Amino acid sequence: MSLLDIRNLSLSIHGTPILHDVSLRLDPGRILGVIGESGSGKSMTAFTVMRLLPEGAEASGQVTLDGQPILSRSEAQMCALRGRDIGMVFQEPMTALNPLKTIGDQVAETILIHEKIPKRAAMIRAAKALARAELPQDRFPLSRYPHELSGGQRQRVVIAMAIALRPKLLIADEPTTALDVTTQAQILRLLTRLVREDGMGLMMITHDLAVVAEMADEIAIMQKGRVVEAGPTGALLENLQHPYSRALLAASTHAPARSPAAQDTPLLEVTAVHRFYPTPRKSLFGAPGRFHAVKGVSFKLRKGESLGLVGESGCGKSTLTRAILGLEQIQDGAIRLNGRPVFQGRQPDPEVRRRMQVVFQDPYGSFNPRHRVGRLVAEPFHLSPNMPRAERDTAVAEALTAVGLTPGDADKYIHEFSGGQRQRIAIARALITRPELILLDEAVSALDVQVRARILDLLADLSARYGLSYLFISHDLSVVRAITDRVMVMKAGEIVEAGPTETVFRDPRHPYTRQLLAAAPRLPEGLGS
Amino acid sequence: MTRYILTRLLSLVLSLVAASVAIFLVIEILPGDPAAIMLGVNAQPDTLAALRAEMGLDQPMVIRYLAWVGGMLHGDFGTSYTYHTPVAKLIGDRLAVSLPLALFSLLLTVVIAFPVGIWAAARRGSAADTLIMGITQLGVAIPNFWFAMLMVVLFAINLRWFSAGGFAGWDKGLLPALKSLTLPAVALALPQASILARVMRSALLDTLSEDFVRTARAKGLSRAKALRRHALRNALIPVLTIIGMQFSFLLAGGIIIENVFYLPGLGRLIFQSISARDLITVESVVMLLVFAVILVNFLVELAYALVDPRLRSGR
């Protein structure tokens, strides 16, 4: 008998169908990878098993855990089940913990909800659970608050909470999507170890084929609320049947066709740049400390080149990006575009700023929802004032067309567009001043693989058409490999390795580069080619 | 935590100094001679000279400022020109009414607003929620003096449970004094409770949609328990801010209600001293109110730190 058995599960929310006849099985001690893009219903399947659905949700079909039906249980019975028999780990470790309670209290709470034992005993068991999640008490006392921990450490706390009572089933919903590659690798190893040790079943939800390819025993691929293909990992990946599964695989290994067009003339020159931040004073009248975020970084980006900058969160890559854009003062060194310094005294030079634009990660948060797309796209024109209205409208129409949208879209509001379309609009906004350099700061990280593949194609195409240069900042190594000519690896404010992309990826010199490459999840060799 | 308190204390002292300078300068910069303003246009020259000497206007400005501040630090607020009594005693008498009244109505506000706000948030979108929101909307909209007069008609004139106005005084015992403050306190609390209940509800709805509440539910907590144990404390920061502002308002802003109920409170004192151009009293009462506002803000910030560990560690 299976541990988790989902049969013909259908779900609708306020009458809108979300899931159609979903059937999945998971045995004890096994890992089931559920893969799909956003909106495929993978998270909703998990929330149905937990019965933590939004209001207006109606589920039909059968869900059994250890032979016991789930859907017909009362809410009180579900409360007794959640946390004890089913544990859950979420995507966003930064917000998944209560900021006002200590980690010890939060882990112990799981135990105290389900067992009548003294608080003290619960704390001892909480310490054990945290230790199993690799947060030993001597280094991470129970009295720590979430804000004193990094994202990866917080995710370990969430895992400790979920496994404290050794549940039969663990559901992990994109548990590593928000984490750096090396942290991701550690968390995935931890989850795999716990599954094997406790013999629990793990339902691992992710959009990343490579993540499950390495750890899952079985895989189910979902699209638009349906399971389109399911089976044992190895066999399934080697012989994908469904067109959607194939498209998904192709997209996740997609490299746009590019013809390197780098000229010898340097476009962007960054010379020995330093950036310090003051840190809070230790005592009321003590001198403030300082944090050296960028430590003497130098590099050149040539005209027409696509240069990658990889590194984990906190390595200084965002600070460097902001400094290049003139959004951040530097304390030492020089940044020049076409030989002209970015800074004129303390202010960025508008003439230089117009030649470079930026596209940020979050296609949802980087637009003012109350402005029409036309106005959003025309925003960079504040750098070239007194432009006639007609000229402005023509430029907007051109930019929208260039990114595959229509001029008519200028009259719409941003909420009418999907994530991928929004990122196209962000690129249109960057294109409108006809820049020579575009900084792409994690610009495709939040996108589904198929959308990401299309945006990468678009970027390659725009670069060829307009002779654009890119500085591509990302923590995603596979994307950087697909779109850049050269790559730089940044660690703790320094560039530790730089070179032609293929050379660095094939023959990394610096130990840190090797560590990064080893940690990145990979699809088995030969797949997708 | 110590650092947090020390920085807040430092800012409290600096705010007080800045406020005292500002108040002093406003009175100084008023066109014309303060003594002449107080006495009006028909003043006799010798009366004017006497008042100028009494107010110390013949001294340099810095000396007068220091004397004023120094006096206040010793509890000497000068002598009221219209009442011919020490301002300190005047303020003390009025505070004995206004402070208990403010505390009383704030207590009512919190006691009403918390359950109502929490109840509405827990039943978001239900008929009960809609009804509560409608009632609080009304509570904000109804002028409180009108509500006060309705209560006088009902409870004082028809039912004769309370007196229609006046203050019994604390020397007559606790109960009669509290009784004479009850109707004014209710009248003051009605709009404040409506505002606070709405703030409580929306703050709670914000935290209820946070990821950590979902985490708490995944551990096996029921909806109600997740609200109580996880959402509530997280929703307190905006609520505390509003409570602080409400207290400052209640202390001096009850002037209309004080007039409706003939209460000898601070609000009426300010009004009367301004009408009588008694600048010495005005200056001191305003300084006292500023002090109260700054002190309340300080206490609210301490409360933030108690609620939120991130503030304690200075981040």
Side-chain angles (χ1 to χ4, degrees):
Chain A
M1 187 178 63
S2 297
L3 169 66
L4 175 69
D5 195 349
I6 302 176
R7 271 186 215 173
N8 306 324
L9 174 66
S10 293
L11 177 77
S12 64
I13 298 178
H14 291 299
T16 312
I18 305 289
L19 299 176
H20 312 268
D21 278 332
V22 170
S23 296
L24 293 170
R25 289 163 58 97
L26 173 61
D27 290 323
R30 308 280 284 177
I31 298 174
L32 168 68
V34 181
I35 302 162
E37 297 184 298
S38 41
S40 64
K42 55 195 197 303
S43 292
M44 277 303 157
T45 309
F47 284 120
T48 311
V49 175
M50 287 295 271
R51 289 266 310 277
L52 283 178
L53 290 165
E55 269 173 59
E58 271 177 68
S60 64
Q62 261 196 337
V63 179
T64 55
L65 181 75
D66 236 1
Q68 301 296 312
I70 292 273
L71 295 182
S72 55
R73 288 182 173 228
S74 71
E75 177 57 25
Q77 286 171 322
M78 279 314 295
C79 282
L81 195 78
R82 288 184 206 119
R84 193 191 66 205
D85 292 339
I86 315 175
M88 187 151 181
V89 179
F90 302 94
Q91 172 169 0
E92 228 352 294
M94 301 311 273
T95 52
L97 294 169
N98 186 338
L100 308 185
K101 293 192 174 214
T102 63
I103 59 170
D105 279 342
Q106 296 195 52
V107 177
E109 190 180 28
T110 308
I111 302 163
L112 288 167
I113 292 169
H114 298 283
E115 291 181 18
K116 295 259 172 292
I117 57 168
K119 171 100 192 263
R120 211 164 219 257
M123 287 305 257
I124 292 169
R125 283 175 56 186
K128 277 187 194 148
L130 282 165
R132 290 189 73 211
E134 290 156 15
L135 290 179
Q137 218 190 325
D138 50 344
R139 282 175 51 221
F140 302 94
L142 299 178
S143 57
R144 285 281 176 93
Y145 284 98
H147 71 268
E148 297 169 310
L149 303 176
S150 71
Q153 289 161 352
R154 290 186 206 194
Q155 196 62 304
R156 291 173 191 281
V157 177
V158 178
I159 292 173
M161 267 167 22
I163 56 135
L165 292 170
R166 302 195 180 233
K168 296 170 191 158
L169 171 66
L170 183 64
I171 301 175
D173 186 4
E174 304 267 10
T176 58
T177 307
L179 302 174
D180 284 324
V181 274
T182 42
T183 318
Q184 162 169 299
Q186 290 161 3
I187 295 284
L188 294 178
R189 265 203 305 278
L190 168 67
L191 286 171
T192 313
R193 198 197 80 214
L194 292 169
V195 166
R196 307 297 183 220
E197 279 176 10
D198 289 2
M200 62 185 170
L202 171 62
M203 182 169 166
M204 174 82 188
I205 296 164
T206 177
H207 68 281
D208 192 340
L209 260 179
V211 163
V212 284
E214 285 189 344
M215 68 185 289
D217 303 301
E218 278 101 30
I219 286 182
I221 299 173
M222 288 187 75
Q223 182 205 14
K224 293 181 185 159
R226 287 190 172 80
V227 175
V228 295
E229 201 156 354
T233 306
L236 184 97
L237 285 180
E238 262 166 42
N239 191 16
L240 285 173
Q241 296 296 322
H242 197 278
Y244 175 75
S245 320
R246 290 188 190 178
L248 200 63
L249 180 65
S252 55
T253 53
H254 179 77
R258 302 175 54 247
S259 43
Q263 303 164 15
D264 281 338
T265 28
L267 176 65
L268 176 73
E269 289 168 281
V270 172
T271 325
V273 163
H274 285 270
R275 175 72 175 115
F276 304 100
Y277 287 113
T279 53
R281 294 160 203 272
K282 293 261 183 328
S283 65
L284 197 55
F285 299 103
R290 55 182 210 171
F291 174 68
H292 207 160
V294 178
K295 302 175 187 165
V297 166
S298 302
F299 66 88
K300 280 192 182 115
L301 190 157
R302 291 172 295 164
K303 281 196 172 154
E305 188 179 35
S306 172
L307 177 62
L309 176 63
V310 297
E312 300 192 288
S313 40
C315 75
K317 58 187 195 298
S318 298
T319 308
L320 182 60
T321 312
R322 287 200 303 272
I324 292 171
L325 285 166
L327 300 174
E328 185 119 7
Q329 288 274 338
I330 53 173
Q331 272 88 30
D332 199 10
I335 301 171
R336 285 193 171 79
L337 191 78
N338 277 327
R340 200 165 157 170
V342 171
F343 281 100
Q344 265 181 337
R346 306 187 121 250
Q347 292 293 319
D349 181 345
E351 198 48 46
V352 174
R353 278 290 283 107
R354 202 181 326 161
R355 315 305 309 165
M356 66 181 159
Q357 291 292 332
V358 64
V359 178
F360 290 110
Q361 168 169 8
D362 188 355
Y364 293 91
S366 52
F367 291 106
N368 184 335
R370 287 184 182 80
H371 291 173
R372 288 176 202 275
V373 165
R375 179 164 173 194
L376 293 170
V377 171
E379 237 162 2
F381 280 142
H382 77 269
L383 295 170
S384 27
N386 312 324
M387 185 180 223
R389 167 125 205 153
E391 203 177 313
R392 180 172 299 213
D393 288 347
T394 319
V396 168
E398 263 178 46
L400 286 174
T401 315
V403 297
L405 297 169
T406 63
D409 288 330
D411 293 327
K412 295 183 184 164
Y413 286 99
I414 198 72
H415 68 261
E416 298 172 57
F417 295 91
S418 69
Q421 287 173 322
R422 286 177 199 212
Q423 212 58 331
R424 282 174 193 265
I425 293 169
I427 294 169
R429 174 165 68 179
L431 282 177
I432 197 142
T433 56
R434 291 297 173 92
E436 291 177 75
L437 172 65
I438 295 187
L439 282 79
L440 299 150
D441 189 356
E442 302 280 6
V444 298
S445 302
L447 304 175
D448 281 324
V449 278
Q450 287 189 302
V451 181
R452 185 176 76 191
R454 284 196 291 273
I455 295 285
L456 290 178
D457 281 341
L458 171 69
L459 289 172
D461 173 53
L462 291 173
S463 152
R465 263 199 288 164
Y466 299 112
L468 283 174
S469 308
Y470 295 129
L471 180 59
F472 205 98
I473 301 116
S474 182
H475 70 281
D476 188 333
L477 299 170
S478 63
V479 171
V480 170
R481 189 172 193 173
I483 190 93
T484 63
D485 307 313
R486 275 194 313 134
V487 67
M488 305 183 291
V489 182
M490 194 164 179
K491 189 199 177 195
E494 287 173 288
I495 288 176
V496 295
E497 182 161 2
T501 305
E502 267 318 299
T503 319
V504 171
F505 273 76
R506 226 177 267 141
D507 184 20
R509 299 285 159 139
H510 195 276
Y512 178 69
T513 314
R514 283 189 209 140
Q515 193 190 328
L516 271 186
L517 287 172
R522 257 186 313 264
L523 285 164
E525 286 295 319
L527 271 184
S529 50
Chain B
M1 184 71 181
T2 327
R3 223 193 94 188
Y4 180 86
I5 296 176
L6 282 178
T7 30
R8 294 307 180 282
L9 263 178
L10 191 68
S11 105
L12 177 137
V13 172
L14 291 178
S15 315
L16 282 178
V17 171
S20 66
V21 171
I23 292 168
F24 183 77
L25 285 181
V26 166
I27 303 275
E28 282 295 316
I29 288 167
L30 276 178
D33 183 340
I37 292 173
M38 284 168 68
L39 291 174
V41 280
N42 300 323
Q44 300 294 322
D46 50 338
T47 337
L48 192 63
L51 180 63
R52 286 182 57 90
E54 191 190 328
M55 290 176 74
L57 289 178
D58 40 4
Q59 313 247 347
M61 205 158 89
V62 180
I63 303 280
R64 270 183 287 143
Y65 172 74
L66 290 178
W68 176 57
V69 172
M72 281 193 297
L73 289 178
H74 290 102
D76 175 12
F77 289 74
T79 306
S80 160
Y81 185 73
T82 40
Y83 294 90
H84 301 289
T85 35
V87 176
K89 182 173 180 316
L90 266 182
I91 293 177
D93 290 348
R94 301 307 182 101
L95 262 186
V97 177
S98 284
L99 191 63
L101 179 62
L103 288 172
F104 193 0
S105 51
L106 191 70
L107 184 75
L108 284 175
T109 301
V110 170
V111 166
I112 298 169
F114 268 55
V116 169
I118 294 168
W119 204 72
R123 285 159 193 76
R124 175 195 200 160
S126 69
D129 179 28
T130 315
L131 183 70
I132 287 178
M133 283 302 101
I135 293 172
T136 55
Q137 186 75 64
L138 214 60
V140 178
I142 290 178
N144 60 2
F145 62 87
W146 182 75
F147 181 69
M149 288 190 283
L150 279 189
M151 284 200 301
V152 169
V153 171
L154 179 64
F155 294 108
I157 298 175
N158 287 336
L159 296 172
R160 297 185 178 274
W161 289 352
F162 298 94
S163 66
F167 182 61
W170 292 105
D171 44 355
K172 302 262 160 48
L174 192 64
L175 216 60
L178 281 183
K179 212 173 150 187
S180 48
L181 290 182
T182 303
L183 289 187
V186 172
L188 282 172
L190 172 81
Q192 305 303 329
S194 303
I195 294 169
L196 194 63
R198 295 176 79 89
V199 172
M200 181 85 230
R201 173 181 176 272
S202 67
L204 204 49
L205 286 181
D206 282 348
T207 40
L208 278 175
S209 63
E210 295 268 2
D211 287 351
F212 61 79
V213 174
R214 187 182 59 185
T215 311
R217 299 269 286 134
K219 286 181 191 176
L221 284 177
S222 66
R223 200 181 284 272
K225 277 188 181 159
L227 185 154
R228 219 166 39 238
R229 290 200 204 166
H230 291 275
L232 196 52
R233 216 171 119 196
N234 275 286
L236 277 184
I237 295 275
V239 173
L240 284 172
T241 312
I242 299 294
I243 291 180
M245 290 163 64
Q246 289 183 322
F247 182 73
S248 309
F249 167 77
L250 287 171
L251 197 57
I255 177 162
I256 296 176
I257 293 296
E258 282 174 11
N259 272 322
V260 171
F261 289 98
Y262 301 106
L263 289 177
L266 267 186
R268 283 183 96 196
L269 178 64
I270 302 177
F271 183 71
Q272 286 159 350
S273 353
I274 291 175
S275 326
R277 291 178 289 190
D278 184 352
L279 294 185
I280 302 174
T281 310
V282 172
E283 204 176 34
S284 302
V285 177
V286 170
M287 189 62 219
L288 179 88
L289 290 175
V290 168
F291 174 71
V293 170
I294 292 175
L295 184 72
V296 166
N297 282 348
F298 173 70
L299 293 176
V300 166
E301 288 197 324
L302 284 194
Y304 288 164
L306 285 181
V307 170
D308 195 334
R310 285 167 294 188
L311 293 174
R312 288 205 283 278
S313 60
R315 280 184 215 194

